[in-house]
Amino acid sequence: MHDLPPMARFGGLLATDLRDVTSDPEALDSRGWWAVVAGFEGSVRCARFGDVRPAPLPAPGRWRGPAPEAWTSSLDRDAYTAGVRRIREHIAAGEVYQANLCRVLSAPLPDPDGADVDALAAHLAAGNPAPYAGTVRLPAHGTEVVTASPELYLRRTGRVLESGPIKGTGRTAADLLDKDHAENVMIVDLVRNDLGRVCATGSVTVPALCAVEQHPGLVHLVSTVRGELAAGAGWTDLLAATFPPGSVTGAPKASALEIIERLEQGPRGPYCGGIGWVDADRGTGELAVGIRTFWIDRAAPGGPALRFGTGAGITWGSDPEGEWAETELKAARLLAIASGTHDPSTHTPSTHSPTAGRQR
């Protein structure tokens, strides 16, 4: 049994002294401070901690990650580009406007007993700082997740809600295409509709549309959607109305989810779900979209594995090879950090990946 103590770390706070674990999101409107990991397929893990205090991340120390060549992909290059072409056929048939196609990368852990997601978090913070970084370590409950997410899924401050969908990725702003802007606008409409299901009538606005944000090694187009939670609604209603996040599903969401289930080879797990914290006493919370996320799967066939997801939004204007390259760009820096090969003096990592022709 992996015996590291349970903990969570978000926004400069360290949570220890585990009091309760539940799969019922109604607990998030009860009392106490909760860490939350919601899997893309609908599982929810809410953990209440009794001791929450400011604490800096330790300096990067002991972390032994997989060898770079050990990573395999749930979809290899040929399968992924074929999936892009299939989604374009669905778009041509009028079944969907956009769908996210993702793949999960996996590698065996060389030192399972010593593998600690909080140690990996320190390396990610040094090599790929992110606004919604966080760690949840609940070994006895099968949850060991660390995220370097750049994307806000939901922020709640009392009754005020905010979401920050990302669509559009390039190495620089000059790489962003008309297709990227169109993607972003489509998903903003979807997020507006999702929030509108649980917000007071007329309260949903878009304070920012397609703003360019700089992140380590790449840029994103980011929009902001804001609303006021309707009277009597809580976290259960909010998650039911908005999950999974629109930026990692597609539009219309129901059709996109059906296509995703047919094309992807296995579950996404915490990747593309929601990861963050809720302070029920203060009526606040912040959940990131679970992208740029690693998790340890100790029940993996063949032994404990480290997993990581990457994907891209597919529209009619998508080029299959270009979308594959986007998944590589999003993964390259993070995999290099996890495998111990990241060179901090290199501004932009190589997009070469040993998973391009290797499918598990």
Side-chain angles (χ1 to χ4, degrees), residues 22-37:
T22 179
S23 60
D24 184 357
E26 286 193 8
L28 303 178
D29 282 307
S30 59
R31 61 185 177 86
W33 190 98
W34 298 82
V36 181
V37 177

Side-chain angles (χ1 to χ4, degrees), residues 127-128 169-172 214-219 329 333 346-349:
N128 195 92
T169 300
R171 290 180 179 274
T172 69
Q214 298 280 343
H215 293 273
L218 46 76
V219 300
L329 174 62
R333 188 186 193 100
T346 301
H347 177 67
T348 304

Side-chain angles (χ1 to χ4, degrees), residues 2-356:
H2 190 62
D3 58 0
L4 286 170
M7 53 78 69
R9 194 188 293 276
F10 290 99
L13 297 176
L14 173 64
T16 56
D17 184 22
L18 181 65
R19 299 292 183 86
D20 189 22
V21 177
T22 179
S23 60
D24 184 357
E26 286 193 8
L28 303 178
D29 282 307
S30 59
R31 61 185 177 86
W33 190 98
W34 298 82
V36 181
V37 177
F40 182 79
E41 286 73 31
S43 65
V44 180
R45 185 84 70 209
C46 307
R48 182 167 62 91
F49 290 90
D51 188 351
V52 184
R53 63 183 66 190
L57 262 169
R62 184 176 182 270
W63 165 257
R64 187 181 170 202
E69 65 275 10
W71 293 96
T72 59
S73 177
S74 58
L75 295 174
D76 63 15
R77 186 176 194 149
D78 289 343
Y80 190 88
T81 53
V84 174
R85 289 190 290 272
R86 184 70 185 112
I87 290 172
R88 291 185 76 250
E89 292 173 2
H90 286 290
I91 294 170
E95 299 168 13
V96 70
Y97 302 111
Q98 177 186 149
N100 243 59
L101 184 62
C102 298
R103 55 195 180 97
V104 174
L105 310 178
S106 304
L109 282 167
D111 179 20
D113 292 337
D116 177 10
V117 287
D118 197 38
L120 177 55
H123 288 268
L124 292 173
N128 195 92
Y132 305 107
T135 306
V136 181
R137 189 176 72 198
L138 303 168
H141 300 275
T143 301
E144 296 174 82
V145 176
V146 56
T147 185
S149 177
E151 182 172 1
L152 175 65
Y153 165 37
L154 288 172
R155 178 185 293 123
R156 180 178 171 185
T157 307
R159 310 305 293 179
V160 177
L161 304 174
E162 194 166 281
S163 185
I166 287 176
K167 272 298 164 197
T169 300
R171 290 180 179 274
T172 69
D175 294 334
L176 296 169
L177 307 172
D178 289 343
K179 171 254 183 190
D180 295 305
H181 288 262
E183 263 193 274
N184 195 290
V185 171
M186 277 189 258
I187 294 304
V188 166
D189 282 343
L190 187 153
V191 173
R192 287 176 62 248
N193 289 336
D194 281 356
L195 286 180
R197 295 167 58 195
V198 75
C199 282
T201 302
S203 70
V204 179
T205 61
V206 182
L209 182 65
C210 294
V212 177
E213 278 191 5
Q214 298 280 343
H215 293 273
L218 46 76
V219 300
H220 286 307
L221 287 179
V222 184
S223 295
T224 302
V225 184
R226 189 175 295 153
E228 181 181 341
L229 191 62
W235 278 103
T236 299
D237 309 286
L238 186 50
L239 292 173
T242 64
F243 197 82
S247 64
V248 290
T249 53
K253 186 184 283 188
S255 298
L257 285 170
E258 291 178 4
I259 292 168
I260 287 167
E261 186 175 4
R262 289 198 294 268
L263 293 179
E264 294 184 9
Q265 303 295 313
R268 295 184 185 181
Y271 171 58
C272 292
I275 303 169
W277 59 272
V278 170
D279 189 331
D281 297 326
R282 292 176 171 81
T284 59
E286 191 172 85
L287 302 182
V289 178
I291 56 175
R292 317 294 196 273
T293 296
F294 291 92
W295 68 102
I296 294 176
D297 182 356
R298 296 192 181 272
L306 186 65
R307 303 200 191 278
F308 178 86
T310 186
I314 313 305
T315 67
W316 175 249
S318 290
D319 168 65
E321 291 294 335
E323 299 297 349
W324 170 266
E326 182 174 320
T327 71
E328 293 280 86
L329 174 62
K330 290 172 176 175
R333 188 186 193 100
L334 282 297
L335 293 186
I337 293 169
S339 292
T341 60
H342 173 61
D343 181 358
S345 66
T346 301
H347 177 67
T348 304
S350 167
T351 58
H352 171 72
S353 169
T355 68

